[in-house]
Amino acid sequence: MMDNKRRKFLKMAGATVLAGISAPAIVKLSSNPAVAAGDGGHEAPAAAHAATDTHDEEQSSGVRLGMVIDMRKFYQNQGMLDEAIAACIKAHNVPQIPDPKSEIKWIWKAGFGNVFPEHSQKLRSEKVKDNQFPALCNHCDNPSCVKACPTKATFVVEKNGIVAMDFHRCIGCRFCMAACPYGARSFNWQDPRPFIKEYNVNFPTRGRGVVEKCNFCGERLALGLEPACVEVCKGTGAMVFGDLNDPHSEIRKVLDQEFTIQRKPAAGTKPSVFYIV
Amino acid sequence: MIEKTLKGKPAYWIWLGILASLIAIGWACYFRQYSFGLGLTGMSRDVSWGLYISQFTFLVGVAAGGLMLVLPYYIHDYKAFGRITILGEFLAISALVMCLMFIMADLGQPLRGLNVLFYPTPHSMLFWDMCVLWGYLLLNLLCGWVILTAERKQVPPPKWIYPFIYISLPFAVSIHTVTAMLYCGLPGRHFWLSAIVAPRFLASAFAAGPSLILIACMVMKKFANFDAGKEAIQKLTTIIMYAVIINTFFFLLEFFVGYYSEVPGHMHSLEYLFFGLEHHGEVYNNLVPFMWAATLLNFGGLGILAYMKIAKVFDYRLVGTAAVMIFLALWSDKGLGFVFAGFVPNPLEQVTEYYPTMNEIGITIGVWATGFLLLTLLYKIALGVEEEVEH
């Protein structure tokens, strides 16, 4: 049943993407009328049971798509992570360039110490040491790349919080790459097309001289589909995708129950990707 | 006045010929880069800015450094700088032209450069940098030309130009402050995320700019019979000396913050610059020789200047040597180390070192040659006018 509901939500999320900036569609995006009305900011869950005495993070209103990555599911099945990455590469015509200098990466594997360099690396459990973690764009609520971009070629999609790219506006200054604390952005140092292994006609290829990164599958959401990596993990709960601002969404239920961490929270970028380690 | 550039001794034409050949090489290299993409450079996913942006950063400082000549003359009425103030303004013009060329060379999509104007984005520091750089360039073109024209006609500069001169003073500070803000406002880049970046940039700029002018004065003394005057030269060395001391002090403060607090992110880049960064059993240290050379040149140059003050000697060769040493030191620090080390380690604490390619160096030299060509022509005009007035 849960799955059905999520499906529906995603369909509607997709519909709004297609509809462009149509305001009424935003209302339908969330199952919670309060959120839909635009004052979801007051619904912040921490306010209800603030056991800690810390400064609360300000919450954006409206839909804010996010992801929970449950590493417990990947520990048993690292192959699934490879499949998820492969699905992304296929869906987005991500070129496979052998030279690490020029690599293009949307979602990729890295060690715990690389994904979470600000966490202590000593005396970690074997599971954490032996496994690879997925790294991807965090679609931050306060993205420093968007702040840095001098042409608004990278921007927050207002209706769902995705940090998107306009490949046709990007001038290739790479300020966003310097600004991103997560190394999530890649630059096309050369024509990427010869390096595309399997060509997907439903997604544009990029030319040289522009920056690219994970787009949370905005184009798939528009068709009512889940992000490619999430779809691969279907039924396992390894990747849960949904509206962080909707208290009734599946992702919020996971976040309410589990202890999660974000990458470099001290950077103040408010990442929308959470990890259960 | 442009006709002044058409007459010169053989040495002048040989110099222009050398610069023109370097510019031609630069264009050939740029053509290759333009057809293939920035993959012809040594930049990478991890070190996404290289020589172009580091030279840009350094040259913004050289442009701002002209302030140290303009300010004493116009605000403090320091007459000894009368003959060289125009050199400061013209240096700023050449340096800014180089800056803009380096930015263009660095863009992945240079033809889309105007998007910065079509979609002005005030929350991006790059937008503001464009505004102040162009503003300062136009101000210097205007002020330089009007003042030189007045000098040629042997009349005082028109009154309306003074507001522009006064505006240009804070503008000089702003170009380097905003350039510092490109770096020091980025979360997750610990080496750059420091409030002292802008002051340090300014201090080093106020040494690097005047040092280059001193070098130019020495060259023009030898080849063009131009004497800036002993008093002006001595005052410039004093300014350079204090600026170097302040810059060194600021840099040492960075060391203190890093190594006393022992916050890893604040030590990594400094370690990489001066001692080499050990990572998975490998030591990455390709900037170490440059940084220690810079340290030696910095203190060496400072020592020579201090010796001249204390022993009350004045020797053009010593002045020239000190100026070259300090210029090279500041270039290594800001024109190489500052930008490259900010990317090491990368946000995932992996280490990729940056080695510029020959093609990239060719373009870089081409841009420098363009700047020096412009500087030569502008100085030739300035000197020509002064000669004409004296006769």
Side-chain angles (χ1 to χ4, degrees):
Chain A
M1 192 210 126
M2 198 59 234
D3 199 42
N4 240 348
K5 199 171 164 194
R6 186 159 53 135
R7 240 301 107 131
K8 208 165 144 200
F9 150 66
L10 285 165
K11 243 183 200 143
M12 288 194 234
T16 42
V17 176
L18 279 182
I21 18 170
S22 66
I26 296 172
V27 179
K28 285 183 193 161
L29 260 171
S30 177
S31 59
N32 182 344
V35 173
D39 54 0
H42 306 294
E43 280 273 333
H49 42 85
T52 46
D53 187 21
T54 52
H55 182 72
D56 225 6
E57 195 173 281
E58 221 174 284
Q59 193 92 7
S60 66
S61 57
V63 176
R64 174 185 168 194
L65 293 177
M67 186 187 279
V68 171
I69 295 170
D70 188 345
M71 282 309 297
R72 294 170 303 188
K73 307 293 184 331
F74 283 120
Y75 294 147
Q76 298 146 16
N77 192 358
Q78 283 267 296
M80 184 165 65
L81 185 50
D82 293 322
E83 280 169 46
I85 293 168
C88 172
I89 289 169
K90 197 177 157 194
H92 300 114
N93 293 319
V94 178
Q96 296 305 292
I97 300 169
D99 182 2
K101 208 174 78 96
S102 315
E103 251 181 324
I104 308 281
K105 296 191 276 196
W106 285 37
I107 173 170
W108 71 101
K109 292 193 294 184
F112 178 82
N114 301 120
V115 179
F116 298 99
E118 288 177 358
H119 286 68
S120 165
Q121 310 303 323
K122 290 273 176 244
L123 308 175
R124 287 283 145 214
S125 73
E126 292 297 317
K127 257 189 288 188
V128 166
K129 275 190 207 157
D130 297 344
N131 279 285
Q132 295 279 297
F133 288 65
L136 69 160
C137 171
N138 280 288
H139 295 276
C140 303
D141 205 21
N142 182 24
S144 47
C145 54
V146 169
K147 229 192 299 183
C149 179
T151 63
K152 303 187 187 84
T154 192
F155 54 93
V156 177
V157 179
E158 245 178 76
K159 52 192 170 285
N160 55 20
I162 289 179
V163 177
M165 276 288 306
D166 181 343
F167 302 125
H168 299 283
R169 192 185 281 190
C170 174
I171 60 173
C173 71
R174 310 188 295 294
F175 200 4
C176 56
M177 294 175 79
C180 175
Y182 308 101
R185 293 177 161 268
S186 307
F187 181 72
N188 285 285
W189 300 100
Q190 58 202 309
D191 182 7
R193 289 172 188 122
F195 299 93
I196 298 170
K197 290 213 171 113
E198 218 176 323
Y199 186 64
N200 171 17
V201 289
N202 296 317
F203 196 78
T205 57
R206 276 73 65 196
R208 67 183 154 83
V210 295
V211 171
E212 60 180 79
K213 65 167 194 75
C214 159
N215 66 348
F216 255 3
C217 284
E219 83 288 355
R220 287 173 58 90
L221 298 179
L223 301 173
L225 300 166
E226 296 181 302
C229 55
V230 177
E231 197 180 70
V232 167
C233 308
K234 203 174 193 57
T236 65
M239 283 177 155
V240 183
F241 186 78
D243 179 9
L244 296 173
N245 283 351
D246 176 2
H248 304 295
S249 64
E250 189 192 351
I251 189 168
R252 275 291 293 276
K253 281 184 186 140
V254 175
L255 286 168
D256 284 347
Q257 281 162 16
E258 304 282 354
F259 176 74
T260 54
I261 56 173
Q262 291 154 293
R263 295 173 66 192
K264 297 191 184 174
T269 51
K270 302 177 192 169
S272 298
V273 177
F274 297 75
Y275 294 76
I276 302 171
V277 176
Chain B
M1 290 192 285
I2 295 167
E3 76 281 356
K4 304 268 182 227
T5 59
L6 299 175
K7 267 191 228 158
K9 284 185 270 184
Y12 170 70
W13 291 107
I14 291 168
W15 172 239
L16 289 191
I18 294 169
L19 291 176
S21 335
L22 294 175
I23 291 168
I25 293 170
W27 276 108
C29 293
Y30 185 71
F31 180 76
R32 289 188 65 211
Q33 178 185 298
Y34 187 83
S35 352
F36 180 83
L38 283 162
L40 279 191
T41 69
M43 290 184 272
S44 59
R45 195 179 186 279
D46 288 340
V47 186
S48 46
W49 281 338
L51 263 187
Y52 304 145
I53 294 298
S54 69
Q55 300 313 291
F56 154 79
T57 306
F58 177 71
L59 286 166
V60 172
V62 171
L67 177 70
M68 288 295 102
L69 288 86
V70 179
L71 189 140
Y73 183 68
Y74 286 107
I75 301 292
H76 300 283
D77 202 23
Y78 184 66
K79 293 272 191 283
F81 277 0
R83 299 195 73 187
I84 57 170
T85 300
I86 190 79
L87 301 185
E89 283 159 339
F90 281 175
L91 175 65
I93 293 171
S94 319
L96 286 168
V97 167
M98 284 189 262
C99 289
L100 296 169
M101 288 179 80
F102 274 120
I103 292 278
M104 287 311 286
D106 187 67
L107 290 187
Q109 290 283 345
L111 298 183
R112 294 184 191 165
L114 285 176
N115 278 1
V116 180
L117 289 179
F118 295 153
Y119 311 102
T121 311
H123 54 65
S124 171
M125 283 302 116
L126 212 52
F127 168 77
W128 290 109
D129 213 29
M130 179 205 68
C131 294
V132 290
L133 287 175
W134 273 103
Y136 193 53
L137 176 58
L138 297 177
L139 279 172
N140 273 290
L141 278 172
L142 180 73
C143 297
W145 210 253
V146 168
I147 288 163
L148 199 62
T149 310
E151 192 188 330
R152 189 185 196 191
K153 293 180 184 153
Q154 301 193 51
V155 292
K159 285 220 165 56
W160 61 264
I161 195 69
Y162 282 93
F164 290 100
I165 293 172
Y166 295 136
I167 293 169
S168 82
L169 303 178
F171 246 91
V173 178
S174 79
I175 59 167
H176 220 22
T177 306
V178 179
T179 302
M181 286 170 175
L182 295 178
Y183 299 99
C184 68
L186 305 178
R189 302 275 179 192
H190 296 289
F191 183 53
W192 295 339
L193 191 69
S194 162
I196 207 134
V197 170
R200 184 151 83 82
F201 270 20
L202 286 167
S204 85
F206 295 156
S211 293
L212 192 55
I213 287 170
L214 267 190
I215 295 167
C217 286
M218 300 298 134
V219 172
M220 291 188 294
K221 184 173 157 45
K222 191 164 162 52
F223 292 100
N225 259 339
F226 170 81
D227 188 10
K230 192 181 156 192
E231 191 192 339
I233 300 275
Q234 271 182 322
K235 187 58 90 185
L236 268 185
T237 57
T238 308
I239 289 170
I240 292 170
M241 208 169 80
Y242 279 109
V244 170
I245 290 170
I246 293 169
N247 180 48
T248 310
F249 173 61
F250 285 168
F251 202 176
L252 290 173
L253 287 176
E254 291 279 26
F255 262 95
F256 173 80
V257 169
Y259 284 85
Y260 191 82
S261 74
E262 296 185 83
V263 172
H266 287 277
M267 295 190 294
H268 282 155
S269 296
L270 289 171
E271 211 163 306
Y272 171 60
L273 282 176
F274 285 90
F275 312 108
L277 193 63
E278 208 191 317
H279 187 75
H280 289 304
E282 217 172 308
V283 179
Y284 297 90
N285 56 8
N286 70 350
L287 289 171
V288 170
F290 288 98
M291 293 316 284
W292 284 107
T295 310
L296 290 177
L297 289 167
N298 186 67
F299 286 107
L302 202 55
I304 293 175
L305 292 183
Y307 162 76
M308 289 193 345
K309 302 282 168 202
I310 293 162
K312 296 203 174 14
V313 290
F314 182 81
D315 183 338
Y316 278 107
R317 281 166 303 177
L318 283 180
V319 173
T321 312
V324 169
M325 287 170 83
I326 285 166
F327 186 78
L328 287 177
L330 297 172
W331 177 76
S332 298
D333 166 26
K334 211 196 307 179
L336 300 176
F338 179 81
V339 176
F340 307 162
F343 291 105
V344 177
N346 79 358
L348 284 91
E349 294 209 346
Q350 294 148 333
V351 180
T352 305
E353 275 189 304
Y354 164 74
Y355 290 92
T357 60
M358 287 312 288
N359 202 71
E360 194 176 5
I361 292 170
I363 295 173
T364 304
I365 290 174
V367 175
W368 272 97
T370 310
F372 274 115
L373 181 81
L374 187 59
L375 189 69
T376 307
L377 297 179
L378 288 172
Y379 279 12
K380 178 87 177 138
I381 293 172
L383 262 57
V385 168
E386 284 199 22
E387 248 170 50
E388 189 185 300
V389 171
E390 274 162 18
H391 286 173

